Amino acid sequence: DAPTFNSLATSYGLMTNYYAITHPSLPNYISIVYGSQNGIKSDCTKCSVNAKNLADSLEKAHKTWKTYAEDLPKAGDLGITYGGKNGYVKRHDPFLYFKDISSSKKRRANVVPFTQLKKDMAKKALPSFSLVIPDLNDDMHNGTVAAGDAWLNKNIVPLINSPALGANGVVFIVFDEAEDSDTTNGGGHIAVIAAGPGV
């Protein structure tokens, strides 16, 4: 059901010893941009983290960042869900949990609707770091493997092949956690693919 995933894993790099931190989703997303779950153990919607994060490190190094979130209605929106039960959820958008970002309208402007990705690619204006967040249907949380694979083929394969990615660009395709029944090393054994000209 996943020819695109399988093709990318074969053509580029498949990390075979990668494990999520825990269950459920949010602590794993916080870990992606912070390095640990910072005490967050649930998919809380009102919790926050008062700590330095990847965005702070990037900005300190004069690098740029953005989140491209499917079904997010407008840049910087702090809503919890959009697009129905299979749409956007805040718990998959980790930068919005950090106080120094959520409290700043200017910094929240880096959290944009997914439709902005194609525009930035066309202008060759991708940031140094991008976090692309499919909705619950397209990330296979609520949708099928086939639907997620089709979304990957339609939206991420063009990114991997885009001149906007640059000669050393890398796209990491990462799952936040394994099935709930898989608690190996905390959040279970997950697939991670590294693809692009830099691989």
Side-chain angles (χ1 to χ4, degrees):
D1 291 339
T4 307
F5 279 95
N6 290 329
S7 175
L8 293 173
T10 302
S11 302
Y12 293 104
L14 176 64
M15 299 177 189
T16 59
N17 195 28
Y18 199 98
Y19 296 85
I21 301 288
T22 189
H23 293 296
S25 295
L26 178 59
N28 295 296
Y29 280 95
I30 295 294
S31 297
I32 288 173
V33 299
Y34 178 70
S36 80
Q37 62 196 73
N38 198 280
I40 292 180
K41 298 179 179 178
S42 69
D43 283 338
C44 52
T45 56
K46 295 185 180 180
C47 55
S48 62
V49 178
N50 190 16
K52 297 295 179 190
N53 54 72
L54 180 59
D56 299 316
S57 298
L58 288 164
E59 290 173 9
K60 186 176 180 182
H62 307 288
K63 303 288 185 184
T64 55
W65 65 276
K66 255 184 198 174
T67 294
Y68 298 94
E70 192 174 25
D71 296 335
L72 187 72
K74 64 182 182 192
D77 198 298
L78 292 170
I80 296 169
T81 62
Y82 292 105
K85 67 176 185 168
N86 293 324
Y88 165 89
V89 287
K90 180 184 175 186
R91 69 178 184 263
H92 290 177
D93 207 340
F95 286 117
L96 293 178
Y97 283 86
F98 288 85
K99 287 182 183 177
D100 66 346
I101 295 173
S102 64
S103 64
S104 167
K105 185 175 181 180
K106 180 181 178 184
R107 296 186 84 197
R108 282 198 323 267
N110 289 325
V111 179
V112 300
F114 177 69
T115 52
Q116 186 65 41
L117 179 62
K118 283 186 181 177
K119 296 173 186 174
D120 289 353
M121 285 169 55
K123 294 186 291 187
K124 293 187 181 176
L126 290 174
S128 306
F129 175 84
S130 303
L131 180 63
V132 177
I133 304 170
D135 65 23
L136 289 176
N137 184 69
D138 293 326
D139 72 2
M140 298 185 290
H141 188 283
N142 291 1
T144 65
V145 171
D149 191 77
W151 186 91
L152 185 76
N153 189 50
K154 178 182 176 186
N155 297 288
I156 302 305
V157 170
L159 172 63
I160 292 168
N161 295 321
S162 171
L165 191 58
N168 294 312
V170 179
V171 174
F172 293 95
I173 302 162
V174 182
F175 288 83
D176 60 343
E177 59 179 330
E179 292 289 333
D180 288 344
S181 58
D182 183 355
T183 57
T184 311
N185 292 340
H189 191 196
I190 59 175
V192 177
I193 297 170
V199 179

